[in-house]
Amino acid sequence: MTVLPVNQPGHSEHPEAWKWYDYFTFNVDHKVIGIQYLVMAFVFYLVGGAMAVAIRTELRTADPDFVDPAVYNALLTNHGTIMIFLWVIPAAIGGFGNYFLPLMVGARDMAFPKLNALAFWLNPMAIVLLLISFVWGGAQAGWTSYPPLSEITAPMAQSFWILALIAVGSSSIMGALNFMVTLYKLKVPSMKWSQVPLFCWAIISASIIALVATPPLTIGLLMLFFDINFGTSFFKPEAGGNVILYQHLFWFYSHPAVYLMVLPVFGIISEVIPIHARKPIFGYKAIAYSSLAICLVGLFVWVHHMFTSGTPAWMRMFFTISTLIVAVPTGVKIFSWVATLWNGKIRYTSAMLFAIGLVSMFVFGGITGVTLAAVPFDLHVHDSYYIVGHFHYVLFGGSVFGIYSGIYHWFPKMTGKMLDERLGKIHFVMTFFGTHLTFLPMHNLGLSGMPRRIAMYDPQFTNLNQLCTMGAYLLAISIIPFYYNVINSWIRGEKAGDNPWRALSLEWTTASPPIIENWESLPVVTYGPYEYGHNILDQIEAEAAAQEAEAKMAE
Ligand code: HEM
Ligand SMILES: [Cu+2]
């Protein structure tokens, strides 16, 4: 038996390997929980996606002729809610964070395994609550649920929607604490702080955001719940309440939440780019500190969502400046990724294509973000389709591309099987064009005056809307090769070996999939995760080839 360093939890009783049904139980293994999050998220991606297709089908014509307007509002509200809280956040943080943060820092599990399982199981609870809300037609006041609208439309549905959000919020807080303690206490002692992979720093930055920003949202939602159900008047101006207070509480969470959705995928591509370009990452410290900077500055920009809410001039000035500043650390990252690619021996794997796709999309969405920081411009386009275009470039082109990149990169580790690269490339091309086709025309629509969140519009906007709808159908079809590839490769894919990409970070030093407590004896770190110098590359190549040969022999 190996002697564990003091800061590792001791061996616990467990079977040799997990069975399929273990994945449906209250299992405390971080890898099981990671897969639970990922599978749940990918199922709800389909649900949210189906809603998007219905929305775009309604908008293919100017008249409200496909669904009832109340149904349209419920679809719109729940599309946003599901995509944020049951797809991007659980996949990027819950899924990849849980599976890989412990593996990347040489830990046997998360610091609080039971808390981790509890955090996951709050999500199915939220799903049940959301389903119940559909007994009353579903919440219809938009994912932002501003009062007074949210207090007078479908109050029962809105109440269950609030409870669902409080459940996922609590899950997020528990997860955040766990990540921070895990990195701090369970990192193998031989790993220096400067050798912690950038993905882990990204998860920590996201955790800080979740810890600081989620409680105010929860409070705002509870106040809304009380207003609806118990006759309080926090947000009722006619009884001395203040509607704007809700907007502050909501955006104090929801602006940082956009970084919650994008920092983890920045972390993913900070792994993918150096590994598939065979080059040391450019500016390790710059990327790590810029994550922290985004997380801190990002906490002070929320009023840019409220420039039209009667905001005083000094506030507009302050929040314009802070919003402009937040683009700087983002630019630092973009520069570092491009510099890493520069002169690299780039392998155009599907993981790499999605990572490069992310950088290009994000630059576009970031720039439209900067335009929105300017009050005189924002006053014109606020609540128009320009906003919808902006945030889909960063959320689809950013978060979704990053999750895809992470799947193509880490699937061999999680399942022991390779994905089909040809299908991956077909998936990439369709997704890339589908994203532009769906979301680019939205900017023109917004600039020429089409408001967001409507089922009916002025007929002059028909042509551009039809382009968007075609793009949405293309995106819907694009997921077919992806889901087929994942399921098919999982069952009968080519064996992956421990280190198919010849990468240096610790998750690649164990078996694929990893054994239950991750390693027989804990790894000792002798080089950093990005030291792609020649000596190390030769050594890694030799080790991986030997392991693969051994695996072949064993068969
Ligand atoms: C350079 C970085 C960014 C800047 C300067 C920026 C700026 C802005 C501004 C000023 C608005 C408010 C516009 C309005 O409603 O009138 C906005 C909306 C939005 N942004 Fe960004 N943004 C940036 C990056 C991001 C990222 C990374 C995400 C998500 C991953 C994101 C997601 C959103 C969303 C979801 C909304 C609309 C929310 C809603 O009203 O429903 N943004 N952005
Ligand atoms: Cu914002």
Side-chain angles (χ1 to χ4, degrees):
M1 213 188 88
T2 40
V3 182
L4 297 173
V6 277
N7 60 358
Q8 290 288 339
H11 278 284
S12 53
E13 287 301 312
H14 58 70
E16 274 292 293
W18 302 121
K19 298 271 185 311
W20 66 268
Y21 49 76
D22 290 315
Y23 287 83
F24 293 87
T25 61
F26 192 88
N27 190 303
V28 297
D29 182 341
H30 72 101
K31 299 185 291 303
V32 174
I33 295 173
I35 299 282
Q36 286 174 326
Y37 270 114
L38 279 172
V39 171
M40 179 195 83
F42 272 96
V43 169
F44 276 84
Y45 183 33
L46 295 181
V47 178
M51 291 174 163
V53 168
I55 292 168
R56 283 311 325 169
T57 303
E58 172 63 77
L59 295 177
R60 82 203 182 288
T61 56
D63 299 323
D65 47 10
F66 180 61
V67 289
D68 181 79
V71 174
Y72 181 86
N73 288 345
L75 285 172
L76 194 74
T77 302
N78 286 282
H79 161 74
T81 308
I82 288 173
M83 289 305 200
I84 293 169
F85 295 105
L86 292 174
W87 155 237
V88 173
I89 294 180
I93 305 183
F96 291 122
N98 271 301
Y99 202 105
F100 288 105
L101 184 132
L103 276 171
M104 289 174 125
V105 299
R108 292 200 186 278
D109 205 328
M110 294 281 281
F112 307 115
K114 283 188 189 136
L115 184 70
N116 204 16
L118 178 64
F120 169 74
W121 284 99
L122 281 172
N123 288 274
M125 194 177 114
I127 291 167
V128 172
L129 290 165
L130 262 197
L131 278 177
I132 296 176
S133 77
F134 276 89
V135 173
W136 296 276
Q140 292 161 34
W143 83 283
T144 49
S145 285
Y146 280 7
L149 190 63
S150 55
E151 299 199 340
I152 53 178
T153 339
M156 279 308 276
Q158 190 70 46
S159 302
F160 278 94
W161 179 92
I162 291 173
L163 296 177
L165 249 66
I166 292 177
V168 285
S170 312
S171 163
S172 182
I173 292 176
M174 293 176 189
L177 269 173
N178 221 340
F179 287 127
M180 293 165 97
V181 180
T182 305
L183 178 66
Y184 190 62
K185 298 295 283 185
L186 301 189
K187 173 176 75 59
V188 272
S190 56
M191 178 183 271
K192 296 195 209 103
W193 286 109
S194 61
Q195 292 175 328
V196 171
L198 288 166
F199 175 71
C200 303
W201 289 125
I203 291 287
I204 296 302
S205 308
S207 299
I208 297 173
I209 291 174
L211 269 186
V212 177
T214 318
L217 173 74
T218 309
I219 292 166
L221 290 174
L222 273 176
M223 288 157 88
L224 193 60
F225 190 86
F226 285 175
D227 269 13
I228 296 174
N229 294 293
F230 303 135
T232 54
S233 50
F234 294 113
F235 306 132
K236 292 176 190 149
E238 69 278 16
N242 182 345
V243 274
I244 301 296
L245 175 62
Y246 176 86
Q247 298 188 16
H248 281 292
L249 291 168
F250 180 83
W251 288 113
F252 186 77
Y253 168 79
S254 294
H255 178 81
V258 307
Y259 297 109
L260 201 61
M261 289 187 274
V262 89
L263 282 173
V265 302
F266 282 176
I268 293 173
I269 69 162
S270 300
E271 302 300 323
V272 168
I273 288 179
I275 291 173
H276 296 264
R278 316 307 292 150
K279 260 189 70 191
I281 186 96
F282 183 93
Y284 171 89
K285 279 199 183 146
I287 296 183
Y289 281 119
S290 63
S291 289
L292 288 171
I294 289 178
C295 136
L296 295 181
V297 182
L299 286 168
F300 297 97
V301 303
W302 78 92
V303 175
H304 65 216
H305 295 271
M306 301 166 55
F307 285 150
T308 56
S309 305
T311 312
W314 69 266
M315 244 194 208
R316 287 175 165 180
M317 178 82 93
F318 176 88
F319 284 94
T320 290
I321 295 172
S322 63
T323 303
L324 294 174
I325 291 175
V326 88
V328 176
T330 316
V332 168
K333 280 180 192 294
I334 306 271
F335 181 83
S336 300
W337 293 322
V338 175
T340 307
L341 289 169
W342 188 259
N343 263 341
K345 279 194 225 152
I346 301 178
R347 302 186 294 217
Y348 289 99
T349 53
S350 309
M352 185 60 142
L353 288 174
F354 273 106
I356 298 175
L358 185 159
V359 175
S360 71
M361 294 272 174
F362 196 86
V363 166
F364 191 93
I367 289 174
T368 55
V370 173
T371 64
L372 291 172
V375 176
F377 180 73
D378 184 67
L379 295 185
H380 285 280
V381 295
H382 176 66
D383 263 344
S384 79
Y385 253 83
Y386 189 89
I387 305 297
V388 185
H390 156 67
F391 72 70
H392 280 92
Y393 263 82
V394 280
L395 279 171
F396 204 104
S399 307
V400 178
F401 272 51
I403 294 171
Y404 282 144
S405 177
I407 292 285
Y408 283 106
H409 181 64
W410 277 319
F411 186 85
K413 180 51 59 185
M414 294 188 284
T415 64
K417 304 289 178 60
M418 297 303 285
L419 283 168
D420 183 316
E421 276 292 319
R422 207 167 43 99
L423 283 175
K425 278 167 196 148
I426 295 173
H427 175 218
F428 171 74
V429 172
M430 289 167 83
T431 312
F432 189 78
F433 286 105
T435 310
H436 281 303
L437 187 56
T438 314
F439 302 117
L440 195 59
M442 291 184 182
H443 296 85
N444 300 42
L445 283 169
L447 287 174
S448 41
M450 177 169 159
R452 64 190 280 203
R453 293 181 172 151
I454 45 160
M456 189 171 98
Y457 52 83
D458 190 309
Q460 60 161 314
F461 300 129
T462 309
N463 289 347
L464 284 175
N465 268 295
Q466 284 175 345
L467 278 185
C468 298
T469 301
M470 275 156 55
Y473 292 163
L474 177 57
L475 281 179
I477 301 169
S478 78
I479 63 174
I480 296 172
F482 175 75
Y483 278 74
Y484 170 78
N485 195 0
V486 165
I487 295 169
N488 190 49
S489 305
W490 204 333
I491 300 169
R492 56 179 88 87
E494 193 190 317
K495 283 235 162 62
D498 293 356
N499 191 0
W501 309 126
R502 312 300 193 244
L504 300 180
S505 42
L506 287 183
E507 79 271 29
W508 303 100
T509 62
T510 179
S512 307
I515 58 173
I516 285 185
E517 287 193 343
N518 297 350
W519 292 272
E520 298 287 350
S521 59
L522 286 179
V524 177
V525 178
T526 51
Y527 41 76
Y530 310 110
E531 290 177 19
Y532 288 99
H534 285 288
N535 302 343
I536 296 178
L537 277 188
D538 293 345
Q539 183 189 332
I540 287 288
E541 178 60 46
E543 276 171 19
Q547 184 274 330
E548 278 161 21
E550 205 175 285
K552 277 237 168 66
M553 292 282 278
E555 272 175 34

